[in-house]
Amino acid sequence: MRAWMVMMLLILPLAATARAEDQRAEAERYFRAGERAYNAGQYDIAAQAFEEAYQVLAVPAIAFSTAQAYRLQYFIDKEPARLKRAVELYRLYVDQQKSGGRVSDAAASLAELSPLLLRLEAEGKMMGTIARQQTTRLMVVSQVDGARGTIDGEGGALPLTKEVTP
């Protein structure tokens, strides 16, 4: 029985390590998809992919990238919930990162966005949080620059997204 307990003590940390590596790989896939969308100017899609990455692996760098995508998309569509989420994520980043990294960039964005958020809240224009999509969306990405793809006969440069029937 004692040998069995020793084996379990050796196996459990290995299983936890494998799970952590799987989580990191999953977060990396979401992050890379978000990065490609961001670089293509598809900030809404990038924010969604970064949010998925952050759900899997809540690290400050992913929070910062997600905030960047929401900030840029806010300036495109003026959706107040995106502004609110960007501010939340920049604050979270600064609180967790403390110094170094992109703290100065996050602080500059907070200085720019916080007054806008306060004004919108004072005007009663805040609509809560960003609703998680209830649709199924397929995203095709590639690490190859200039790659093109097709979903249901609709083609274009990657990343390419399309709402599909689940």
Side-chain angles (χ1 to χ4, degrees):
M1 180 154 166
R2 189 167 202 195
W4 180 80
M5 290 171 75
V6 169
M7 286 297 288
M8 288 304 292
L9 290 174
L10 293 173
I11 292 172
L12 288 175
L14 292 175
T17 300
R19 239 184 344 266
E21 288 174 9
D22 288 347
Q23 284 181 316
R24 184 169 287 286
E26 182 181 4
E28 171 101 9
R29 283 190 298 274
Y30 282 123
F31 186 86
R32 293 297 166 218
E35 180 180 51
R36 298 300 278 187
Y38 185 95
N39 290 336
Q42 298 174 334
Y43 305 118
D44 185 37
I45 294 165
Q48 291 172 31
F50 290 148
E51 286 279 15
E52 293 295 331
Y54 191 74
Q55 289 294 320
V56 174
L57 187 64
V59 296
I62 298 174
F64 180 84
S65 294
T66 310
Q68 292 282 84
Y70 278 126
R71 177 179 62 85
L72 291 173
Q73 187 61 40
Y74 168 76
F75 285 115
I76 291 170
D77 64 18
K78 301 297 188 212
E79 175 62 41
R82 295 186 207 289
L83 174 64
K84 182 176 182 181
R85 184 66 176 143
V87 169
E88 289 170 356
L89 289 164
Y90 283 128
R91 285 185 182 144
L92 188 146
Y93 177 79
V94 169
D95 289 346
Q96 290 180 350
Q97 186 68 31
K98 305 287 187 223
S99 64
R102 306 281 307 265
V103 170
S104 62
D105 294 330
S109 291
L110 282 169
E112 173 189 19
L113 301 179
S114 293
L116 293 173
L117 180 61
L118 289 173
R119 189 186 81 228
L120 290 175
E121 287 173 339
E123 294 172 358
K125 293 184 180 175
M126 293 307 301
M127 301 300 290
T129 60
I130 296 171
R132 300 267 313 174
Q133 286 205 329
Q134 300 300 318
T135 59
T136 301
R137 184 177 283 179
L138 180 63
M139 178 189 289
V140 179
V141 295
S142 172
Q143 295 299 320
V144 177
D145 290 333
R148 299 183 61 79
T150 303
I151 303 173
D152 288 340
E154 295 179 24
L158 299 184
L160 184 63
T161 62
K162 180 174 183 191
E163 287 187 19
V164 296
T165 304

